[in-house]
């Protein structure tokens, strides 16, 4: 289950504990350079508080670019339950 951990007008960040890893999810409602700066600041704070790598499952190139923009690094491919191939990214401080 996704738990909202950062709630802002322009975005929400969620964490989900699954198979021993913290999975990162986000809903972005608006994006500007100022929001980007605030988002990364909040993400850095969150990362410091949980003190373990965050992981994300990416299924398209636009999300991959966004993940890299906010500091996630490509790790490996992953075959989902639906037999689709996803890319796993992680982020740590």
């Amino acid at each position: 289950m996704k738990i909202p951990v950062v709630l802002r007008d322009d975005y929400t960040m969620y964490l989900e504990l699954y198979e021993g890893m913290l999975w990162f999810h986000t809903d972005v409602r608006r994006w500007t350079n100022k929001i980007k700066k605030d988002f990364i600041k909040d993400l850095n704070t969150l990362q410091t508080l949980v003190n373990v790598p965050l992981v994300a499952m990416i299924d398209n190139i636009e999300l991959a670019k966004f993940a890299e923009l906010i500091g996630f690094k490509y790790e490996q491919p992953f075959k989902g339950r639906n037999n689709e191939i996803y890319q796993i990214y992680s982020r740590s401080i």
Side-chain angles (χ1 to χ4, degrees):
M1 173 170 46
K2 295 189 315 186
I3 307 296
V5 293
V6 177
L7 298 110
R8 303 284 188 227
D9 289 340
D10 299 310
Y11 54 87
T12 303
M13 296 179 187
Y14 307 86
L15 291 179
E16 177 182 14
L17 182 61
Y18 180 74
E19 293 193 8
M21 294 184 283
L22 276 179
W23 293 83
F24 178 78
H25 305 268
T26 190
D27 293 328
V28 176
R29 290 173 282 287
R30 200 166 71 94
W31 196 252
T32 65
N33 282 335
K34 166 91 170 83
I35 295 167
K36 174 186 168 185
K37 182 179 175 183
D38 293 343
F39 185 99
I40 292 172
K41 181 180 175 186
D42 284 341
L43 184 54
N44 286 339
T45 299
L46 176 62
Q47 188 82 65
T48 301
L49 292 170
V50 298
N51 200 28
V52 295
L54 300 177
V55 292
M57 189 166 63
I58 307 294
D59 65 354
N60 67 63
I61 193 73
E62 298 301 323
L63 284 177
K65 287 179 184 178
F66 178 75
E68 291 172 359
L69 176 76
I70 62 172
F72 280 77
K73 305 272 190 261
Y74 175 76
E75 293 294 333
Q76 65 187 43
F78 172 79
K79 188 174 185 177
R81 292 181 182 162
N82 60 359
N83 290 325
E84 294 287 325
I85 300 296
Y86 298 92
Q87 307 307 314
I88 300 299
Y89 282 71
S90 71
R91 184 184 197 275
S92 57
I93 291 186

